[in-house]
Amino acid sequence: PVRITIDNVYVLATPRFQENFDPERENEREYKRKMQRLDNDDMLRQQQLLKKQGATSAGEEKKQASFTEQLVTKIVDNLQVVIKNIHVRYEDHISNPDHMFAVGATLGELSAVSTDEEWRQTFLHDSGSVIHKLLKLAQFSVYWDTECQSMQGLGHDELIAKFSQAINSEEHRCRQSILEPVVGLGKLTMNKRPTPEDIRTMVKFEFDQLAFELDDEQYADALLLTTAFDYAMRQRRYRKHRPPPGVRPKDDPRAWMLFAIRSVFDEVHEHNYRKTWAYRRHRREERQLYIRVYTAFKVNHGTLTEADAKALDGLHHSLSYEDIRQYRLQAEPAIRKQQYLIRKREAEVNKAKAGGAGAADSTAAAGAGVTGWVGGWISSWVTGAPAQSHDASGGKADGGDVSDGEDSTQLSEQQVQELYDAI
């Protein structure tokens, strides 16, 4: 069986609300995130279109189903996943000025192995349409320490040791747990070919206990954390005007005053500009340009002129994700129409080429003479010339000489056979 093991994964996260703002890096990060979402949307839309149009034939579906079953039956049916010793920790010393707190989750083990119908571990040669997996969960817990020491700055070995010790059940007694360590077994049933009445996936878990606890300090820190995250998200819009980290209002009041003025000015200016005709005209021009260039990009299979490629890249950087998605939906009818016209034109060209080749072959066969009395009859029937009789020695009955032009019209035995096959 195929076994996937994930072991000893430790993550330590801290807030970076006051990091230096780099406009180029931030724009590039936002651009990559936006394009990834658009690629996922295109892939999903293409799959839906194929399902709607029924692009795959019955034979292809059968072949694909056969290949998928072979792959899934031998790999997925016997796939074993084991995840052990996972610890994710978030430390925050900004949200609550009074003290630092840490939120974390630990996992001792989570495994999934293939079983038979009686939930006995085995190797499946032919599981049929139903797959059974036995799940095991051990030492899963969530903690929120309101009074703790930071793990930042520790050496590599010491950091790994502390992360590993926190997974043990004895260590949880020294922590403020929100969810006490959980131990349980689960039974997963997956139906590969369900009917509309069947359940595709069903999971049953049995736990020893589920104990939750939240005190006043943890609740207060949770409120401060959500407020800090909301503040950080609202602050992202004005980070380009914010003074450098470490500069307090009393240190440089002028810089903070300019930060407030520029932030308000940008918001008011953007609000008023959206009401002008210039903004509407600019939006219309961007929409028309994007639909035209994107249609050419899809019809030409990604090939564009240098000017169009530069324009498309600039629009991808300047437009929002919602605008690009809307413009692509509006361009779909034009893309389908252009692709249909191209396929129709290609079919007409191929048909004309096939007709021209057939006419050329017929003309060549019609102007050619053949040897033998059968060949002479075919040649006379095709060309309309009288058939020439041959004597036993191969000479002409009328005694006339045959010119070089007449010799060039004779066919070989192979060409005669090809003519017979064509007829």
Side-chain angles (χ1 to χ4, degrees), residues 89-106:
R89 177 183 175 93
Y90 170 76
E91 296 180 351
D92 194 329
H93 59 279
I94 296 178
S95 301
N96 192 339
D98 297 336
H99 61 264
M100 189 196 79
F101 61 86
V103 186
T106 62

Side-chain angles (χ1 to χ4, degrees), residues 86-90 103-107 140-143 167 172:
I86 309 297
H87 189 176
V88 180
R89 177 183 175 93
Y90 170 76
V103 186
T106 62
L107 175 63
F140 173 69
S141 66
V142 180
Y143 64 88
I167 301 176
H172 284 286

Side-chain angles (χ1 to χ4, degrees), residues 70-122:
Q70 292 178 6
L71 185 63
V72 171
T73 301
K74 295 303 179 183
I75 297 180
V76 177
D77 292 3
N78 294 284
L79 183 64
Q80 298 183 7
V81 180
V82 179
I83 303 175
K84 299 174 63 177
N85 300 326
I86 309 297
H87 189 176
V88 180
R89 177 183 175 93
Y90 170 76
E91 296 180 351
D92 194 329
H93 59 279
I94 296 178
S95 301
N96 192 339
D98 297 336
H99 61 264
M100 189 196 79
F101 61 86
V103 186
T106 62
L107 175 63
E109 180 182 354
L110 176 62
S111 61
V113 296
S114 301
T115 65
D116 55 14
E117 296 180 355
E118 300 298 329
W119 302 104
R120 294 188 296 264
Q121 183 176 352
T122 183

Side-chain angles (χ1 to χ4, degrees), residues 372-388:
W373 67 272
V374 177
W377 176 80
I378 293 177
S379 177
S380 63
W381 176 71
V382 173
T383 60
Q388 296 177 344

Side-chain angles (χ1 to χ4, degrees), residues 150-411:
S150 175
M151 290 188 180
Q152 298 185 69
L154 298 179
H156 179 268
D157 296 337
E158 186 179 1
L159 184 65
I160 296 298
K162 283 187 172 295
F163 268 120
S164 179
Q165 293 173 1
I167 301 176
N168 300 328
S169 58
E170 293 78 8
E171 187 71 18
H172 284 286
R173 300 175 183 176
C174 303
R175 297 190 176 277
Q176 297 174 261
S177 297
I178 298 178
L179 174 64
E180 295 291 337
V182 177
V183 177
L185 290 177
K187 297 178 180 179
L188 172 64
T189 303
M190 295 182 294
N191 193 339
K192 295 185 295 183
R193 294 182 291 273
T195 62
E197 293 79 14
D198 295 337
I199 300 176
R200 185 178 184 88
T201 304
M202 181 172 61
V203 183
K204 293 182 180 180
F205 264 108
E206 297 178 358
F207 302 107
D208 292 343
Q209 67 171 358
L210 284 176
F212 297 91
E213 183 180 0
L214 186 68
D215 58 28
D216 294 340
E217 291 185 354
Q218 292 172 337
Y219 178 71
D221 287 343
L223 292 179
L224 292 174
L225 179 61
T226 55
T227 303
F229 271 106
D230 180 67
Y231 174 74
M233 295 303 296
R234 287 187 288 109
Q235 209 177 34
R236 288 173 60 90
R237 182 176 178 180
Y238 311 106
R239 282 189 303 172
K240 59 183 178 180
H241 304 310
R242 188 179 178 88
V247 178
R248 296 176 298 179
K250 65 178 182 180
D251 297 334
D252 193 350
R254 183 176 182 274
W256 283 92
M257 178 62 70
L258 291 176
F259 164 65
I261 293 174
R262 289 167 181 168
S263 300
V264 175
F265 175 79
D266 284 355
E267 186 173 356
V268 174
H269 175 73
E270 182 70 17
H271 178 74
N272 293 334
Y273 176 65
R274 288 176 177 270
K275 297 180 180 180
T276 62
W277 284 108
Y279 171 77
R280 297 172 186 267
R281 182 174 60 253
H282 178 67
R283 291 272 297 175
R284 179 177 61 86
E285 293 174 352
E286 282 187 336
R287 175 177 57 84
Q288 293 176 346
L289 177 60
Y290 187 87
I291 292 177
R292 180 185 65 80
V293 178
Y294 181 72
T295 301
F297 175 80
K298 299 297 287 187
V299 170
N300 297 327
H301 305 287
T303 303
L304 289 175
T305 63
E306 183 178 355
D308 287 346
K310 186 176 180 180
L312 185 61
D313 184 69
L315 290 172
H316 280 158
H317 279 84
S318 61
L319 294 175
S320 64
Y321 163 76
E322 291 76 12
D323 289 340
I324 296 177
R325 186 179 181 184
Q326 182 65 27
Y327 296 163
R328 289 188 175 185
L329 290 176
Q330 295 178 10
E332 285 296 331
I335 295 174
R336 290 195 294 266
K337 181 179 179 181
Q338 292 293 332
Q339 291 175 345
Y340 169 75
L341 293 176
I342 291 176
R343 290 194 299 267
K344 183 178 179 181
R345 191 179 305 114
E346 290 177 352
E348 292 176 352
V349 171
N350 293 334
K351 185 177 180 181
K353 288 182 178 180
D361 294 341
S362 300
T363 304
V370 293
T371 58
W373 67 272
V374 177
W377 176 80
I378 293 177
S379 177
S380 63
W381 176 71
V382 173
T383 60
Q388 296 177 344
S389 59
H390 293 71
D391 56 13
S393 62
K396 298 294 179 296
D398 9 13
D401 295 335
V402 180
S403 63
D404 294 339
E406 291 174 344
D407 291 339
S408 63
T409 60
Q410 294 181 352
L411 298 178

